[in-house]
């Protein structure tokens, strides 16, 4: 049994017992000094600095480098010793460390992710790093619960930081991902959607299947082209708001939103579109995901998906790892590599990849917009019942994601597929 002690932070014990208490059992006591040594060793080689509460500073960065403020070093070491990178994120949630520019700090770590731990210790990864709980595997029994833990938090919460289109995926900016020119986010989101619909050849009379409804913007824009749309989701909150938005836009007769697992879809469709849904499928079910698309795609049809990807070697190294993102943000999720998508479609379907567009810089920019908007609405998140620890968790999630794209560790791709043999 893990021993814990009350943290010196102001974390609510009832809402966040795993954050309010610091591990103090045998594992934490033994591992904390090792974690502290490895942390200091890593920081000493990285272009950043760590400033401790006693005024001491370590790090390989200069005066302009990002700075971590280590508020409670012993608690940080205990959490990391107990839970590795999960503990690092939990320490931020508890306020054991902080940073003025969290994205910049996390980008430094993301750039060196594969080499932060010495190779000699990486061989022990399987013995130390926690495995994903079986209860979070995306079986037909579990998936609804996994999805609801994120997307059913509150429509009001997502409305606070998303733009008017309520689109929760990477935008596509006219000027490219790295240039800040003030383009409204809603315009960039509609451009992204329209490009997917164009590549899927959605037009008047098209029968469209959307796997992963979001809050309805893609279905609305497809219906505006004269298509009929069946959209499936496992989020009751999304189904409710998407249906209202579709009705308000005047397309209820063209769009059907079903609370349904993608594996249960029937019918035939001229176009299948799926935006950042494959990340929630789980690597064990990628074959089933693409076989389902293959099964319902009509002859001559096209598929357009938007997928967050990671390098293939890192995907292989981490596919059985339980992470902070799994625990607090997306249970059951896992990012594919481009090679994995190629191999799964080649080996399990008649589909083939025809086209790709890399948009990683655009996602970094999208996430920065979301984080800035979220930070400006803290008073309203409190009114919705979300406390300071939740705010720090969400800020960490958005900055962690932005850092992944800025470092190049993550990418997002629009991928077009059709059936081999179709002309």
């Amino acid at each position: 049994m893990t021993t814990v002690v009350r943290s010196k932070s102001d974390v609510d014990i009832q809402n966040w017992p795993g954050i309010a208490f610091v591990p103090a059992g045998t594992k934490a006591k033994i591992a904390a000094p090792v974690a502290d040594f490895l942390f200091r060793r890593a920081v000493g080689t990285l272009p950043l600095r760590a400033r401790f509460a006693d005024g001491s500073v370590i790090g390989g960065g200069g005066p302009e480098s990002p700075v971590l403020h280590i508020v409670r070093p012993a608690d940080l070491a205990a959490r990391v010793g107990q839970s590795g990178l999960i503990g690092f994120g939990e320490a931020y949630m508890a306020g054991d460390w902080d940073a003025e520019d969290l994205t910049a700090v996390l980008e430094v770590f993301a750039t060196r992710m594969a080499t932060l731990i010495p190779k000699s210790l990486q061989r022990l990864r399987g013995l130390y790093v926690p495995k994903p709980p079986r209860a979070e595997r995306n079986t037909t029994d579990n998936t609804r619960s996994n999805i609801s833990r994120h997307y059913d938090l509150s429509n009001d919460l997502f409305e606070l930081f998303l733009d008017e289109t309520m689109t929760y995926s990477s935008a596509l900016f006219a000027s490219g991902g790295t240039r800040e020119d003030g383009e409204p986010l809603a315009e960039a989101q509609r451009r992204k959607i329209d490009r997917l619909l164009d590549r899927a050849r959605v037009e008047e009379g098209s029968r469209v299947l959307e796997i992963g409804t979001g809050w309805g913007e893609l279905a609305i824009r497809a219906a505006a082209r004269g298509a009929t749309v069946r959209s499936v989701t496992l989020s009751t909150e999304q189904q409710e708001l998407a249906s209202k938005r579709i009705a308000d836009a005047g397309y209820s007769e063209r769009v059907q939103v079903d609370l349904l697992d993608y594996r249960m879809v029937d019918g035939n469709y001229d176009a299948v579109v799926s935006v950042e849904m494959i990340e929630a499928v789980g690597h064990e079910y990628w074959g089933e995901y693409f076989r389902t698309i293959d099964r319902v795609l009509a002859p001559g049809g096209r598929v357009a998906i938007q997928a967050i990807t990671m390098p293939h070697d890192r995907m292989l190294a981490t596919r059985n790892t339980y992470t902070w993102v799994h625990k607090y943000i997306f249970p059951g999720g896992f990012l594919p590599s481009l090679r994995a998508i190629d191999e799964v479609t080649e080996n399990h379907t008649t589909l083939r990849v025809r086209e790709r567009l890399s948009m990683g810089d655009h996602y970094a920019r999208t996430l920065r917009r979301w984080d800035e908007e979220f930070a400006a609405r803290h008073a309203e998140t409190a009114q919705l019942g979300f406390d300071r620890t939740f705010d720090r968790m969400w800020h960490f999630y958005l900055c962690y994601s932005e850092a992944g794209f800025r470092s190049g560790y993550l990418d997002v791709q629009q991928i077009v597929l059709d059936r081999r043999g179709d002309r």
Side-chain angles (χ1 to χ4, degrees), residues 262-274:
Y262 70 90
R263 288 165 281 207
M264 305 302 173
V265 171
D266 56 7
N268 288 101
Y269 305 90
D270 304 304
V272 178
V273 186
S274 187

Side-chain angles (χ1 to χ4, degrees), residues 190-203:
R190 293 184 179 112
R191 180 180 298 104
K192 174 272 300 294
I193 292 170
D194 289 345
R195 187 182 188 280
L196 284 166
L197 295 177
D198 288 345
R199 293 304 189 269
R201 296 176 179 165
V202 174
E203 57 190 15

Side-chain angles (χ1 to χ4, degrees), residues 53 76 84 101 106 128 141 151 169 173 178 214 221 234 246 269 284 286 317 357:
L76 170 62
D101 190 341
L106 295 175
Y128 184 80
D141 293 331
Y151 293 99
S169 52
F173 294 91
T178 58
R221 296 188 75 75
L234 286 175
I246 290 163
Y269 305 90
E284 307 96 329
W286 288 339
L357 173 69

Side-chain angles (χ1 to χ4, degrees), residues 79-80 83-91 130 322-325 327-328:
R79 294 185 198 271
V80 174
S83 304
L85 291 178
I86 293 177
F88 186 66
E90 291 176 335
Y322 192 55
T323 68
W324 181 90
V325 170
K327 185 173 182 179
Y328 290 99

Side-chain angles (χ1 to χ4, degrees), residues 221-236:
R221 296 188 75 75
R225 295 183 176 208
T228 57
V229 183
R230 185 184 190 188
S231 186
V232 296
T233 179
L234 286 175
S235 166
T236 55

Side-chain angles (χ1 to χ4, degrees), residues 363-382:
Y363 217 153
R365 186 169 164 186
T366 303
L367 286 154
R368 175 56 62 94
R369 298 279 190 97
W370 289 345
D371 187 53
E372 289 172 350
E373 191 64 25
F374 182 76
R377 310 294 287 274
H378 283 326
E380 291 159 275
T381 60

